[in-house]
Amino acid sequence: MSKSIAGFSKLSKSKKIDWIVDTYFANAESAKGILKQYWNSDEKLQQLHDEFIENTITNYYLPLGVAPNFLINDKLYTIPMAIEESSVVAAASKAGKFWLDRGGFITNVISTTKIGQVHFVFKGDFEKLGQFFDIVKPKLIQETKSITANMEKRGGGILNIELIDKTEDINGYYQLHASFETLDAMGANFINSCLEQFAKTFKNEALNFDLFSEEEKQIDIIMSILSNYVPDCLVRAEVSCHVDELSENSSVSGRVLAEKFVRAVNIAEIEPYRAVTHNKGIMNGIDAVVLATGNDFRAVEAGVHAYAARKGKYSSLTHAKIEDDTFKFWIEIPLALGTVGGLTSLHPLVKLALELLHKPSARELMQIIAVAGLAQNFGAIRSLTTTGIQQGHMKMHLMNILNQFEATNVEKQTLVEYFKNNTVTHSAVVEAIQKLRAKN
Ligand code: MEV
């Protein structure tokens, strides 16, 4: 039977672990051993990780892989990817190399505006609220000066604040809808601090606005928070080549491949069941780089999927066409990212990943990550419309199955060789291991 505990966060790390293993595990010593196995022997490094969150008991590892040979706007990149799914890095690397030989990826940042809102309830005359807003707006900006000074020095800051009437949806509901330029910072803290200050100023100033009745003076602030929907923080990445160049062997023509590819993308554009999986494949590439570079993949995920549904129906994030014998494939995607602040200056592997990427600005990182998404989608559609996805997937999955059976390095080598010419299924791998072991 589980039990509740008071004051858990105040216990030392070792006492927390004692409580967990004693409460939940049949073999407490073994559970403790596994948790400790993942501690870093460098105490300072471990402490750094312990302090990222509350109640840390150990570290959770994901592989950090790299996909080399990405030519983006004529500059070569090796892209770091933190991900557990077996075939993702292999597919990215293959797509990177494929397009390296065909001119690479062309990218551009379309916009970098981020949004935050103060949601409030006002019971009264909208015209008076509008007048109040016009008068108080400069003060809203003025009273955030201590928060915005540094950002403004670098060329960013608050772009605008608007008053929005949402009373058609909810009685008495209005917003201060603010836009921001946060440069190389993801900007969540900056935006939220500004918004909370707007809310304070707005509420306080209302108390002194003579045109308001006593009821109107009581503005009820519901919440102040940035939006992870960033349709105006948009990046585009594209590849193109002559249709003939799409073919890597003579058995199927480039045009046939291109037409099938475009059709597959068209299906994801109109069919939500397919679009979700199609976009999931894109996010395999995007999340892996977002994570490796210390960015907030939940924010990116939420914003990207909202964007995919912006026209009222969930649809593909990528598009493809054939124009005058040229195959064109592109993505347009909202990405709110940072290359300064947060984990980027704390986590040693994040710092390393950013250095590997030539220490990019947030704008450059947006472009690199859009490319990772496009490349991943290219690899997936290419496999799906030719060999099928399972061939590549199961080849990579082979190693997972071998590890489940604690195969030795020699066994792995033998079986990887064997499965070059045999279909990988779970039972086929199990049978092959058993046969091999019976022989030795
Ligand atoms: C698997 O993680 C991703 C794919 O399903 C994406 C797709 O179907 O396009 C292969």
Side-chain angles (χ1 to χ4, degrees), residues 112-114 116 157-159 178-182 190-191 194-195 198:
T112 56
T113 302
K114 290 162 189 165
I158 301 161
L159 300 178
S179 50
F180 300 86
E181 170 56 62
T182 63
F190 172 77
I191 293 174
C194 288
L195 294 170
F198 294 163

Side-chain angles (χ1 to χ4, degrees), residues 119-123 172 203 217-223:
H119 306 268
F120 66 95
V121 170
F122 169 77
K123 297 271 171 56
K203 190 172 170 59
K217 284 182 178 171
Q218 301 306 319
I219 286 181
D220 185 14
I221 303 290
I222 305 298
M223 59 188 161

Side-chain angles (χ1 to χ4, degrees), residues 85 88 274 277-278 280-281 284 377 380-381 384 389 393:
E85 189 173 327
V88 168
R274 173 57 202 149
T277 317
H278 178 97
K280 186 274 181 187
N284 279 343
N377 191 224
I381 304 286
L384 287 166
I389 207 74
H393 254 237

Side-chain angles (χ1 to χ4, degrees), residues 40-84:
N40 201 292
S41 55
D42 177 339
E43 278 182 25
K44 260 182 98 181
L45 188 62
Q46 185 53 54
Q47 194 184 345
L48 180 75
H49 282 74
D50 288 353
E51 290 173 359
F52 283 148
I53 59 167
E54 184 145 291
N55 296 345
T56 308
I57 52 174
T58 191
N59 307 308
Y60 184 93
Y61 290 0
L62 280 181
L64 178 71
V66 293
N69 296 322
F70 274 86
L71 188 65
I72 305 175
N73 298 341
D74 290 328
K75 189 166 166 183
L76 261 176
Y77 291 87
T78 293
I79 299 185
M81 304 177 87
I83 188 156
E84 87 301 343

